[in-house]
Structure formats: C-alpha cells, structure tokens
Amino acid sequence: MKSLGDNYEEQAACWLQRQGLTIIERNFRCRVGELDIIGQQGQYLVFIEVRARSNSRFASAAASVDLRKRRRLVRAAQWFLQRHRKYAHLPCRFDVVAFQPPQSATEQTPLWIRGAFTE
C-alpha cells in the first residue's frame, strides 16, 4: 500500500514532467539519505525534495526543509554523483516541490521552488 508521501511524490513527478523536467531517478537511497526525485532540466541536474503539509498551523511545507535536512540532501547528491559519473559535469540545483493544504476543493497545484538552497 502506498503512503501519503508516495502519492505526493507521484503527483510531483507527473507534474514536473509536464513542466519539462526529465526524470532520471526516483527515491534514490544511499547510506547518507534519500533523494525523492532526480531530474534534468536543460543543462542542470536537479535534486528535488517533495514536501507536503496537511495542516497550515505549522511551518509551510517548503520551510520544513531545515538546515539538517539540506545537509543530508547535499551528501546524498554527492553520493549519487560519485556513483553516476556521467552527470558529474552538469551544474547541480536543489529544488523543493511543496504541497500546501488546499484552500478550496479544487485540485492542488504544487509550488516549485527552484534553487531552494545552496550549501
């Protein structure tokens, strides 16, 4: 059975492809962490963290990617690049795709934050 997080990742992947991102890998796991989506957009290799919030009383989905999480994502990206050298020449970018609680019954459109952070 798929978790709620898996459903958001699936929605994000489909939406990103419609926006022109080529998905290279999903749910890349290594000993230092996990990368939800790895894709290529133009010249950039893009590492994407998918976040969702069901309650607006807490920090936004994008704000939930704190310093500790960003460092783990960077280490996982370095691990990926060591294992997949054919992408090592590309400039890298870290993005966040955030799903916020819907304000109405309409379909939820994710917020794509390009270049969300740098380490």
Side-chain angles (χ1 to χ4, degrees), residues 2-14:
K2 280 189 166 189
S3 73
L4 190 57
D6 291 337
N7 288 332
Y8 281 114
E9 286 180 20
E10 181 66 30
Q11 286 180 48
C14 292

Side-chain angles (χ1 to χ4, degrees), residues 1-117:
M1 187 162 100
K2 280 189 166 189
S3 73
L4 190 57
D6 291 337
N7 288 332
Y8 281 114
E9 286 180 20
E10 181 66 30
Q11 286 180 48
C14 292
W15 186 81
L16 288 165
Q17 286 177 310
R18 289 193 303 271
Q19 306 308 308
L21 184 91
T22 301
I23 304 263
I24 294 170
E25 191 163 340
R26 291 181 53 192
N27 299 312
F28 173 80
R29 289 180 175 86
C30 61
R31 66 181 182 90
V32 296
E34 178 187 354
L35 299 164
D36 294 332
I37 300 171
I38 303 167
Q40 187 170 354
Q41 185 181 39
Q43 67 176 358
Y44 286 94
L45 183 64
V46 186
F47 299 99
I48 301 165
E49 176 69 8
V50 178
R51 302 299 268 196
R53 283 284 184 255
S54 59
N55 190 325
S56 59
R57 289 185 295 172
F58 301 107
S60 71
S64 70
V65 183
D66 60 11
L67 180 61
R68 188 170 145 246
K69 179 65 174 177
R70 291 193 306 261
R71 287 181 176 158
R72 286 179 41 203
L73 293 170
V74 168
R75 285 194 306 270
Q78 290 169 336
W79 188 273
F80 175 85
L81 290 169
Q82 289 173 354
R83 290 336 164 255
H84 300 87
R85 296 212 180 264
K86 67 181 178 180
Y87 299 112
H89 70 284
L90 296 174
C92 298
R93 189 176 79 207
F94 292 88
D95 294 358
V96 173
V97 172
F99 291 90
Q100 289 300 120
Q103 300 298 320
S104 65
T106 61
E107 185 176 318
Q108 210 172 3
T109 301
L111 172 63
W112 186 6
I113 305 167
R114 293 170 182 88
F117 62 88

